[in-house]
Amino acid sequence: MSLRLDDYVEVAPRGSLDLLHRLAEQLGGRRFLNVNASRFGGGSPELLGRLVPLLADLGIDVGWEVVVGDPEFYATVHLLEQAIQGPANALPAGRLQAYAEAAAANAATLALEADLVLVHDLAPMPLVRRRPTRGAWVWAGHRDLSNASRHVWNTLRQDVGRYDAAVFALPKFAQRLRIPMLIVHPSIDPLSDKNRELSRAEVQAVLDRLAVPTDKPLLLQVSPFARASALPDVIRTYRAAKQYIDCRLVLAGGGVGDNPEGSAVLAAVREMGAGDPDLDALVLPPDAALEINALQRAATVVLHTPQRAGFGLAVAEAMWKGKPVIGSMAGGIPVQVIYEVTGYTVASVEGAAFRIRQLLQNPDLRARLGGAAREYVRRNFLITRQVGDCLALLARMTRRG
Amino acid sequence: MPERKRRAPTRPASPLSRQHPPVRDLVSAMAAVLPKRLPGLRWFGGKGRTIAWMTPMDAAPLPGSDGFLALFDVAYTDGGHEVYQVPAVADADGAPADALEDPTFRTALLQGIRTGATLAGQNGTFYLRPTAAAAALVPAPGTPAILVAGEQSNSSVVFGGEIILKLFRKVETGINPDDEIPRFLTDATSFRGVPPLIGSIEYETAGERTTLAIVQVYVQSDGDAWTLIQQRLHDYFTAAGGNGAEPDPAFSRALAAADAKEADRLGRLTAQLHLALASAPAGTPLAPEPIGSQDVATWQAEMAAQLEQALAAARAALDRLPPAARRPLEDLLADDAHLRENLTGLHHLLAAGPVQKIRIHGDYHLGQVLKSGTEFRIIDFEGEPVRPLAQRRGKQCALKDVAGMLRSYAYAVEAALRAADAPGTDLASWADAWKAGVRSAFVDGYLAATQGAPFLPRDRPSLDTVLSVFELDKAVYELCYEIAHRPDWVAIPVAALRRPFLPGGRTVPARQRIATEPFRFGACLELVEFVGVRAENERQLMELLEEVPLDSIYYHTHSFFLRHKFLAGTYPNDFANWAAGQVRDRTLGERLAMVDPGTFPDLAALRDELVAVIDDHLRALPMVPGILLGEPFEFLQSWLVEVPTGQEATNLQELRDVLLQIDLTAIYYHLMEARMRLGRGQNDFAAWVEQALGLSALAADLRAVDPYAHGLERTRARLVQLCDVALADGAD
């Protein structure tokens, strides 16, 4: 089953799909090529898996190429990805050189002729060294580069500078660059298992399976079991609120597996929650889309208060389900949570607890913020908007005259 | 020289003496060759008719030359007659030639006028007369006399660049208004907007006088207003993005403002002309008279006749018109009853107290106005040459001249628009803006200077109605002309004729109006770009405000709406929200929130105000507030991709229906982008409702819609609501 843009007619803002069709007509005949490192998994593969068919459905001549490398190449890319997110050990210059050459070597086997080539993430980034003379090249960074290790960024920035423009999810994710820095927020797919409408019975079935009772108002945070998620603070928040109004907290996420940090965080959470029947820590597998969907729909109030975060699309997911969200100021959360309109951003455990008390005791307020939240996501964070961004990018980078 | 080429082959050399050709022989010879030559001459009015014969009417030798002043009667096979003036001289071969081509004859003509020569013909007398003003101005003998490219009905000679002699070719018994009006204005009024009259040539027979030529001061001008405005409009459209140029909207607007100012001055001069003409004392031929019901009936009948003639010509020509002209013409013809009704409003001249008819210019357009520096001179008082002299000398409603000039402005901008090469740009709305500005400036200038004049209707609605009827009548005349001569231009008068207007103070209800051109909805997609700078305190914000591109100022004060579309309640710009939300400085937040972008002429002014507000705020504080825990201000700008939605509205109901469901970005685009970044000066909805539907009151309401206070979704609701009110108006 391939995705069609018109499938979104019921959920996208009225008139917006017509606009995409019109713009796509204008852009007819221009080739738009995407390059990343994999067809499967989260991140850019998941995004392209949806964007590419939708753009093709619009009649855009869109392509998707994948760079390949040996295990050493992928291992280096993994280290680089860690290094651009924070302090890391220096990588040997030879290893960086090998990575860049391996990536660039893909140019020989890939058809890179296009009016716009959009290169995603770090793995294929050095391909730009072999860019053909024709066509615009844009790099989509996707990640937060603001904390990148200096030495790693210094070696990468030269290649990044060879692009005609770079795309970031937020201005604060950007590094200083001489090329135009375009801002494209990520989006959610309202028709995916994680976000599609569920019946009451479907929700109940999932809750039964996860053994989550519905006897009390439900607080939910969906985030990985990681230190950055600040889960102990979430528990303290819940306990502070619970003194005033009885409720249940579910912490759901992945990131445990063979990850020592995740296991440690999970253990700490379990220890804090020992003896509290209203606190559940649910470890979910990576493909637990339906489970997250059902939990978000069952929740009364959704929390998302990590210390550090990427864009934090879990917020938009909950908002799409009409839930008021209490969020921290990390990453892209303040872009999604408009204070007192779609939810609350808070700066402390106490602040979060106060807003929970308010929201749990005031169904009208929940309904107002939740309704605004869903509309805000409809306008700003659905994949149809990102399809529009791609078309706008294509229009801008290939403008004629 | 073109005149030489025009010289048709003559019949075998006549037996005339080269030195002293008897009058009769040369003039007879001329009469014999003219039927062949006339159809090729610009000033000949009988093109398309067949000449049956030609007879010399009268002639007289001109002292100081070998030529003759001569008049010929042209008889057509359709039974009609016309009289033409063709002074004659024998050329080197003895063949008859137009004496105006002979320099000696030209100089002798002026000399004759200077000395007041009286020349006896066989049937009448030719009087060459100077006016009182002549003595000081007539140049010395020997001044070069140059024959200039002629007009439709006359030929002109310029003497020493100071004096112009205009020799009428087709003459009618009676005083030519081109003699009569400038003479009156020069001798009896203080009006100086016409070149002074120096002399004239008249022919008198059987007690009746006929003007054969006039002599006036030659105005050293920069050119006629039509030509100059064409040059100005070329620059205007170029600055608007035409002719492949980079748009410079501010310059465009400056040019339009200058043109409007000039139109205001021309309106005032026109008013002074009419006031001077109306000053003729009672009992004199030019004195004003009250307009009676008989006048109105006659004028309406003439208009109706011309309209029927135009409609018939239009129907006959429909198939051979280019498609772009055919379609609107078909619509016009389908609604001809409406058009007939629109042309019947002159009874308003009788409604509220007597209105005078006066002598007017009669063929008033931009080509009749010379400009030198900032001075205007009005020329050519002949009236429309195709009309009989008696009609041209008749008294008229002064608004007819006003209507003529308004149509001329409309033509000027349409002509320039056609010349501006601009695929993909929206020059038409620039054209509309120019036209609207110039039009109201001319009318306002005219009315300001005629305040309370007895030749205008007292109340403005009547005045507007009558003016509109004359404009329509002029457009009917244009339609006839364009069908016959320039089918590609038919759309211009058709657009004027489709203006939804009913005279008589009754207006077509909004719901019945058909737009003169459809409203085309465009929407937009926005691509956001990080400018690369961040502010962490209010001083940095101020300093960066001064540095960042204006597009960034625009983004944070306008594109805001594209992101917070349905949200109201937060402050209406990003600077205010940052100050209040991140710096926690509510005072600055509130002060910045009150900076209303809608009140600034351009973004530079808006930037200045934002900087001034922060500066003023910081002066009063002992420290500079900054973010302690909040987020820095990140300067962004955006790039808008305009997307035509393919949706169109041809009436108000359709506009309302599309507004209801169209993407909000379209509302943003037509409301703010049009006004602030595309430099159109107002929102597109208001402009269209006013110009294409003629609904000024609704346009004013639409202009007053304030998206800054409500957000786009509520603004949409407000626009729809205003349309609904207008649609219900007059719906019984």
Side-chain angles (χ1 to χ4, degrees), chain A residues 31-60:
Chain A
R31 179 157 175 82
F32 176 29
L33 177 68
N34 290 274
V35 184
N36 78 339
S38 171
R39 289 195 192 276
F40 308 100
S44 68
E46 186 181 355
L47 174 67
L48 291 175
R50 295 184 176 276
L51 275 183
V52 168
L54 289 176
L55 287 167
D57 183 46
L58 277 169
I60 298 290

PDB file of all heavy atoms in Angstrom, chain A residues 31-60:
ATOM      1  N   ARG A  31      13.938  17.418 -10.910  1.00  0.00           N
ATOM      2  CA  ARG A  31      14.252  16.192 -10.176  1.00  0.00           C
ATOM      3  C   ARG A  31      14.757  16.539  -8.782  1.00  0.00           C
ATOM      4  O   ARG A  31      15.595  17.412  -8.599  1.00  0.00           O
ATOM      5  CB  ARG A  31      15.292  15.360 -10.921  1.00  0.00           C
ATOM      6  CG  ARG A  31      15.644  14.088 -10.160  1.00  0.00           C
ATOM      7  CD  ARG A  31      16.202  12.998 -11.047  1.00  0.00           C
ATOM      8  NE  ARG A  31      16.621  11.838 -10.249  1.00  0.00           N
ATOM      9  CZ  ARG A  31      15.799  10.892  -9.815  1.00  0.00           C
ATOM     10  NH1 ARG A  31      14.505  10.945 -10.107  1.00  0.00           N
ATOM     11  NH2 ARG A  31      16.256   9.880  -9.106  1.00  0.00           N
ATOM     12  N   PHE A  32      14.211  15.795  -7.805  1.00  0.00           N
ATOM     13  CA  PHE A  32      14.506  16.007  -6.395  1.00  0.00           C
ATOM     14  C   PHE A  32      15.021  14.693  -5.822  1.00  0.00           C
ATOM     15  O   PHE A  32      14.282  13.725  -5.715  1.00  0.00           O
ATOM     16  CB  PHE A  32      13.220  16.459  -5.696  1.00  0.00           C
ATOM     17  CG  PHE A  32      13.349  16.628  -4.200  1.00  0.00           C
ATOM     18  CD1 PHE A  32      14.560  16.973  -3.598  1.00  0.00           C
ATOM     19  CD2 PHE A  32      12.234  16.452  -3.390  1.00  0.00           C
ATOM     20  CE1 PHE A  32      14.647  17.128  -2.220  1.00  0.00           C
ATOM     21  CE2 PHE A  32      12.321  16.609  -2.011  1.00  0.00           C
ATOM     22  CZ  PHE A  32      13.532  16.934  -1.437  1.00  0.00           C
ATOM     23  N   LEU A  33      16.308  14.657  -5.508  1.00  0.00           N
ATOM     24  CA  LEU A  33      16.922  13.411  -5.052  1.00  0.00           C
ATOM     25  C   LEU A  33      17.264  13.505  -3.564  1.00  0.00           C
ATOM     26  O   LEU A  33      17.820  14.497  -3.100  1.00  0.00           O
ATOM     27  CB  LEU A  33      18.200  13.143  -5.852  1.00  0.00           C
ATOM     28  CG  LEU A  33      18.983  11.898  -5.441  1.00  0.00           C
ATOM     29  CD1 LEU A  33      18.199  10.635  -5.786  1.00  0.00           C
ATOM     30  CD2 LEU A  33      20.352  11.873  -6.109  1.00  0.00           C
ATOM     31  N   ASN A  34      16.904  12.450  -2.835  1.00  0.00           N
ATOM     32  CA  ASN A  34      17.279  12.348  -1.422  1.00  0.00           C
ATOM     33  C   ASN A  34      18.363  11.288  -1.270  1.00  0.00           C
ATOM     34  O   ASN A  34      18.320  10.258  -1.945  1.00  0.00           O
ATOM     35  CB  ASN A  34      16.072  11.948  -0.571  1.00  0.00           C
ATOM     36  CG  ASN A  34      15.044  13.054  -0.486  1.00  0.00           C
ATOM     37  OD1 ASN A  34      15.137  13.927   0.363  1.00  0.00           O
ATOM     38  ND2 ASN A  34      14.084  13.037  -1.418  1.00  0.00           N
ATOM     39  N   VAL A  35      19.307  11.546  -0.385  1.00  0.00           N
ATOM     40  CA  VAL A  35      20.346  10.555  -0.112  1.00  0.00           C
ATOM     41  C   VAL A  35      20.484  10.412   1.398  1.00  0.00           C
ATOM     42  O   VAL A  35      20.606  11.404   2.114  1.00  0.00           O
ATOM     43  CB  VAL A  35      21.710  10.988  -0.702  1.00  0.00           C
ATOM     44  CG1 VAL A  35      22.741   9.885  -0.475  1.00  0.00           C
ATOM     45  CG2 VAL A  35      21.592  11.319  -2.187  1.00  0.00           C
ATOM     46  N   ASN A  36      20.413   9.162   1.872  1.00  0.00           N
ATOM     47  CA  ASN A  36      20.747   8.922   3.277  1.00  0.00           C
ATOM     48  C   ASN A  36      21.491   7.592   3.366  1.00  0.00           C
ATOM     49  O   ASN A  36      22.018   7.089   2.360  1.00  0.00           O
ATOM     50  CB  ASN A  36      19.497   8.966   4.161  1.00  0.00           C
ATOM     51  CG  ASN A  36      18.685   7.699   4.080  1.00  0.00           C
ATOM     52  OD1 ASN A  36      18.805   6.936   3.125  1.00  0.00           O
ATOM     53  ND2 ASN A  36      17.875   7.458   5.093  1.00  0.00           N
ATOM     54  N   ALA A  37      21.554   7.002   4.587  1.00  0.00           N
ATOM     55  CA  ALA A  37      22.397   5.829   4.756  1.00  0.00           C
ATOM     56  C   ALA A  37      21.602   4.543   4.931  1.00  0.00           C
ATOM     57  O   ALA A  37      22.194   3.469   5.029  1.00  0.00           O
ATOM     58  CB  ALA A  37      23.334   6.033   5.943  1.00  0.00           C
ATOM     59  N   SER A  38      20.267   4.635   4.981  1.00  0.00           N
ATOM     60  CA  SER A  38      19.505   3.406   5.212  1.00  0.00           C
ATOM     61  C   SER A  38      18.066   3.592   4.778  1.00  0.00           C
ATOM     62  O   SER A  38      17.551   4.705   4.778  1.00  0.00           O
ATOM     63  CB  SER A  38      19.551   3.046   6.701  1.00  0.00           C
ATOM     64  OG  SER A  38      18.655   1.976   6.946  1.00  0.00           O
ATOM     65  N   ARG A  39      17.433   2.464   4.417  1.00  0.00           N
ATOM     66  CA  ARG A  39      16.012   2.543   4.082  1.00  0.00           C
ATOM     67  C   ARG A  39      15.140   2.163   5.274  1.00  0.00           C
ATOM     68  O   ARG A  39      13.921   2.259   5.204  1.00  0.00           O
ATOM     69  CB  ARG A  39      15.698   1.622   2.910  1.00  0.00           C
ATOM     70  CG  ARG A  39      16.282   2.131   1.601  1.00  0.00           C
ATOM     71  CD  ARG A  39      15.694   1.447   0.392  1.00  0.00           C
ATOM     72  NE  ARG A  39      16.484   1.783  -0.785  1.00  0.00           N
ATOM     73  CZ  ARG A  39      16.300   2.891  -1.489  1.00  0.00           C
ATOM     74  NH1 ARG A  39      15.341   3.730  -1.162  1.00  0.00           N
ATOM     75  NH2 ARG A  39      17.069   3.138  -2.522  1.00  0.00           N
ATOM     76  N   PHE A  40      15.781   1.680   6.343  1.00  0.00           N
ATOM     77  CA  PHE A  40      14.992   1.170   7.460  1.00  0.00           C
ATOM     78  C   PHE A  40      15.430   1.784   8.770  1.00  0.00           C
ATOM     79  O   PHE A  40      16.586   2.170   8.938  1.00  0.00           O
ATOM     80  CB  PHE A  40      15.103  -0.356   7.530  1.00  0.00           C
ATOM     81  CG  PHE A  40      14.785  -1.003   6.213  1.00  0.00           C
ATOM     82  CD1 PHE A  40      15.799  -1.436   5.370  1.00  0.00           C
ATOM     83  CD2 PHE A  40      13.462  -1.142   5.809  1.00  0.00           C
ATOM     84  CE1 PHE A  40      15.501  -1.995   4.143  1.00  0.00           C
ATOM     85  CE2 PHE A  40      13.167  -1.711   4.579  1.00  0.00           C
ATOM     86  CZ  PHE A  40      14.189  -2.142   3.743  1.00  0.00           C
ATOM     87  N   GLY A  41      14.482   1.868   9.705  1.00  0.00           N
ATOM     88  CA  GLY A  41      14.794   2.386  11.026  1.00  0.00           C
ATOM     89  C   GLY A  41      14.152   3.743  11.256  1.00  0.00           C
ATOM     90  O   GLY A  41      13.410   4.245  10.398  1.00  0.00           O
ATOM     91  N   GLY A  42      14.446   4.316  12.451  1.00  0.00           N
ATOM     92  CA  GLY A  42      13.869   5.617  12.776  1.00  0.00           C
ATOM     93  C   GLY A  42      14.653   6.731  12.112  1.00  0.00           C
ATOM     94  O   GLY A  42      15.600   6.481  11.362  1.00  0.00           O
ATOM     95  N   GLY A  43      14.257   7.958  12.395  1.00  0.00           N
ATOM     96  CA  GLY A  43      14.981   9.099  11.845  1.00  0.00           C
ATOM     97  C   GLY A  43      14.719   9.282  10.364  1.00  0.00           C
ATOM     98  O   GLY A  43      13.586   9.117   9.902  1.00  0.00           O
ATOM     99  N   SER A  44      15.779   9.616   9.621  1.00  0.00           N
ATOM    100  CA  SER A  44      15.568   9.969   8.215  1.00  0.00           C
ATOM    101  C   SER A  44      14.964   8.826   7.385  1.00  0.00           C
ATOM    102  O   SER A  44      14.162   9.101   6.490  1.00  0.00           O
ATOM    103  CB  SER A  44      16.873  10.486   7.596  1.00  0.00           C
ATOM    104  OG  SER A  44      17.823   9.460   7.489  1.00  0.00           O
ATOM    105  N   PRO A  45      15.267   7.520   7.645  1.00  0.00           N
ATOM    106  CA  PRO A  45      14.601   6.482   6.850  1.00  0.00           C
ATOM    107  C   PRO A  45      13.082   6.510   7.049  1.00  0.00           C
ATOM    108  O   PRO A  45      12.318   6.398   6.079  1.00  0.00           O
ATOM    109  CB  PRO A  45      15.198   5.184   7.390  1.00  0.00           C
ATOM    110  CG  PRO A  45      16.504   5.583   7.988  1.00  0.00           C
ATOM    111  CD  PRO A  45      16.303   6.962   8.528  1.00  0.00           C
ATOM    112  N   GLU A  46      12.655   6.709   8.293  1.00  0.00           N
ATOM    113  CA  GLU A  46      11.220   6.751   8.552  1.00  0.00           C
ATOM    114  C   GLU A  46      10.587   7.945   7.834  1.00  0.00           C
ATOM    115  O   GLU A  46       9.523   7.844   7.219  1.00  0.00           O
ATOM    116  CB  GLU A  46      10.986   6.840  10.066  1.00  0.00           C
ATOM    117  CG  GLU A  46       9.524   6.754  10.439  1.00  0.00           C
ATOM    118  CD  GLU A  46       9.295   6.864  11.943  1.00  0.00           C
ATOM    119  OE1 GLU A  46      10.292   6.905  12.696  1.00  0.00           O
ATOM    120  OE2 GLU A  46       8.118   6.909  12.339  1.00  0.00           O
ATOM    121  N   LEU A  47      11.280   9.086   7.906  1.00  0.00           N
ATOM    122  CA  LEU A  47      10.778  10.301   7.256  1.00  0.00           C
ATOM    123  C   LEU A  47      10.685  10.110   5.738  1.00  0.00           C
ATOM    124  O   LEU A  47       9.644  10.380   5.120  1.00  0.00           O
ATOM    125  CB  LEU A  47      11.709  11.470   7.576  1.00  0.00           C
ATOM    126  CG  LEU A  47      11.409  12.789   6.855  1.00  0.00           C
ATOM    127  CD1 LEU A  47      10.086  13.366   7.342  1.00  0.00           C
ATOM    128  CD2 LEU A  47      12.535  13.788   7.060  1.00  0.00           C
ATOM    129  N   LEU A  48      11.783   9.628   5.139  1.00  0.00           N
ATOM    130  CA  LEU A  48      11.793   9.480   3.682  1.00  0.00           C
ATOM    131  C   LEU A  48      10.797   8.413   3.236  1.00  0.00           C
ATOM    132  O   LEU A  48      10.199   8.527   2.168  1.00  0.00           O
ATOM    133  CB  LEU A  48      13.213   9.133   3.197  1.00  0.00           C
ATOM    134  CG  LEU A  48      14.220  10.278   3.337  1.00  0.00           C
ATOM    135  CD1 LEU A  48      15.628   9.821   2.949  1.00  0.00           C
ATOM    136  CD2 LEU A  48      13.799  11.455   2.466  1.00  0.00           C
ATOM    137  N   GLY A  49      10.613   7.383   4.086  1.00  0.00           N
ATOM    138  CA  GLY A  49       9.657   6.329   3.755  1.00  0.00           C
ATOM    139  C   GLY A  49       8.256   6.885   3.540  1.00  0.00           C
ATOM    140  O   GLY A  49       7.431   6.277   2.850  1.00  0.00           O
ATOM    141  N   ARG A  50       7.994   8.021   4.116  1.00  0.00           N
ATOM    142  CA  ARG A  50       6.674   8.634   3.934  1.00  0.00           C
ATOM    143  C   ARG A  50       6.720   9.796   2.937  1.00  0.00           C
ATOM    144  O   ARG A  50       5.837   9.940   2.095  1.00  0.00           O
ATOM    145  CB  ARG A  50       6.150   9.130   5.271  1.00  0.00           C
ATOM    146  CG  ARG A  50       5.906   7.973   6.192  1.00  0.00           C
ATOM    147  CD  ARG A  50       5.295   8.355   7.502  1.00  0.00           C
ATOM    148  NE  ARG A  50       5.039   7.118   8.246  1.00  0.00           N
ATOM    149  CZ  ARG A  50       3.940   6.396   8.070  1.00  0.00           C
ATOM    150  NH1 ARG A  50       3.006   6.790   7.226  1.00  0.00           N
ATOM    151  NH2 ARG A  50       3.771   5.269   8.739  1.00  0.00           N
ATOM    152  N   LEU A  51       7.761  10.633   3.049  1.00  0.00           N
ATOM    153  CA  LEU A  51       7.840  11.814   2.174  1.00  0.00           C
ATOM    154  C   LEU A  51       7.977  11.441   0.705  1.00  0.00           C
ATOM    155  O   LEU A  51       7.327  12.022  -0.166  1.00  0.00           O
ATOM    156  CB  LEU A  51       9.051  12.678   2.553  1.00  0.00           C
ATOM    157  CG  LEU A  51       8.889  13.684   3.677  1.00  0.00           C
ATOM    158  CD1 LEU A  51      10.177  14.480   3.836  1.00  0.00           C
ATOM    159  CD2 LEU A  51       7.733  14.634   3.380  1.00  0.00           C
ATOM    160  N   VAL A  52       8.831  10.459   0.426  1.00  0.00           N
ATOM    161  CA  VAL A  52       9.119  10.145  -0.970  1.00  0.00           C
ATOM    162  C   VAL A  52       7.867   9.677  -1.717  1.00  0.00           C
ATOM    163  O   VAL A  52       7.564  10.195  -2.795  1.00  0.00           O
ATOM    164  CB  VAL A  52      10.300   9.152  -1.074  1.00  0.00           C
ATOM    165  CG1 VAL A  52      10.420   8.594  -2.482  1.00  0.00           C
ATOM    166  CG2 VAL A  52      11.592   9.833  -0.639  1.00  0.00           C
ATOM    167  N   PRO A  53       7.092   8.715  -1.133  1.00  0.00           N
ATOM    168  CA  PRO A  53       5.861   8.332  -1.856  1.00  0.00           C
ATOM    169  C   PRO A  53       4.879   9.490  -2.003  1.00  0.00           C
ATOM    170  O   PRO A  53       4.206   9.610  -3.036  1.00  0.00           O
ATOM    171  CB  PRO A  53       5.254   7.238  -0.985  1.00  0.00           C
ATOM    172  CG  PRO A  53       6.290   6.827  -0.014  1.00  0.00           C
ATOM    173  CD  PRO A  53       7.318   7.911   0.079  1.00  0.00           C
ATOM    174  N   LEU A  54       4.787  10.347  -0.979  1.00  0.00           N
ATOM    175  CA  LEU A  54       3.832  11.466  -1.074  1.00  0.00           C
ATOM    176  C   LEU A  54       4.265  12.460  -2.163  1.00  0.00           C
ATOM    177  O   LEU A  54       3.436  12.964  -2.919  1.00  0.00           O
ATOM    178  CB  LEU A  54       3.712  12.183   0.275  1.00  0.00           C
ATOM    179  CG  LEU A  54       2.969  11.391   1.367  1.00  0.00           C
ATOM    180  CD1 LEU A  54       2.984  12.151   2.687  1.00  0.00           C
ATOM    181  CD2 LEU A  54       1.532  11.116   0.924  1.00  0.00           C
ATOM    182  N   LEU A  55       5.561  12.718  -2.234  1.00  0.00           N
ATOM    183  CA  LEU A  55       6.046  13.640  -3.274  1.00  0.00           C
ATOM    184  C   LEU A  55       5.843  13.018  -4.651  1.00  0.00           C
ATOM    185  O   LEU A  55       5.472  13.698  -5.605  1.00  0.00           O
ATOM    186  CB  LEU A  55       7.527  13.962  -3.038  1.00  0.00           C
ATOM    187  CG  LEU A  55       7.792  14.894  -1.852  1.00  0.00           C
ATOM    188  CD1 LEU A  55       9.279  14.910  -1.502  1.00  0.00           C
ATOM    189  CD2 LEU A  55       7.306  16.305  -2.161  1.00  0.00           C
ATOM    190  N   ALA A  56       6.062  11.696  -4.739  1.00  0.00           N
ATOM    191  CA  ALA A  56       5.855  11.021  -6.025  1.00  0.00           C
ATOM    192  C   ALA A  56       4.381  11.101  -6.408  1.00  0.00           C
ATOM    193  O   ALA A  56       4.029  11.330  -7.571  1.00  0.00           O
ATOM    194  CB  ALA A  56       6.311   9.568  -5.930  1.00  0.00           C
ATOM    195  N   ASP A  57       3.505  10.950  -5.399  1.00  0.00           N
ATOM    196  CA  ASP A  57       2.065  11.031  -5.663  1.00  0.00           C
ATOM    197  C   ASP A  57       1.688  12.408  -6.194  1.00  0.00           C
ATOM    198  O   ASP A  57       0.736  12.563  -6.951  1.00  0.00           O
ATOM    199  CB  ASP A  57       1.303  10.721  -4.365  1.00  0.00           C
ATOM    200  CG  ASP A  57      -0.203  10.724  -4.590  1.00  0.00           C
ATOM    201  OD1 ASP A  57      -0.649  10.109  -5.583  1.00  0.00           O
ATOM    202  OD2 ASP A  57      -0.919  11.370  -3.802  1.00  0.00           O
ATOM    203  N   LEU A  58       2.440  13.416  -5.804  1.00  0.00           N
ATOM    204  CA  LEU A  58       2.190  14.780  -6.294  1.00  0.00           C
ATOM    205  C   LEU A  58       2.751  14.995  -7.693  1.00  0.00           C
ATOM    206  O   LEU A  58       2.622  16.076  -8.258  1.00  0.00           O
ATOM    207  CB  LEU A  58       2.848  15.789  -5.341  1.00  0.00           C
ATOM    208  CG  LEU A  58       2.056  16.167  -4.104  1.00  0.00           C
ATOM    209  CD1 LEU A  58       2.944  16.938  -3.137  1.00  0.00           C
ATOM    210  CD2 LEU A  58       0.847  17.003  -4.476  1.00  0.00           C
ATOM    211  N   GLY A  59       3.420  13.974  -8.210  1.00  0.00           N
ATOM    212  CA  GLY A  59       3.971  14.118  -9.558  1.00  0.00           C
ATOM    213  C   GLY A  59       5.381  14.669  -9.586  1.00  0.00           C
ATOM    214  O   GLY A  59       5.906  15.004 -10.653  1.00  0.00           O
ATOM    215  N   ILE A  60       6.001  14.784  -8.411  1.00  0.00           N
ATOM    216  CA  ILE A  60       7.388  15.251  -8.377  1.00  0.00           C
ATOM    217  C   ILE A  60       8.310  14.094  -8.791  1.00  0.00           C
ATOM    218  O   ILE A  60       8.091  12.943  -8.405  1.00  0.00           O
ATOM    219  CB  ILE A  60       7.753  15.730  -6.957  1.00  0.00           C
ATOM    220  CG1 ILE A  60       6.886  16.913  -6.542  1.00  0.00           C
ATOM    221  CG2 ILE A  60       9.237  16.082  -6.858  1.00  0.00           C
ATOM    222  CD1 ILE A  60       7.185  18.198  -7.285  1.00  0.00           C
TER     223      ILE A  60
END
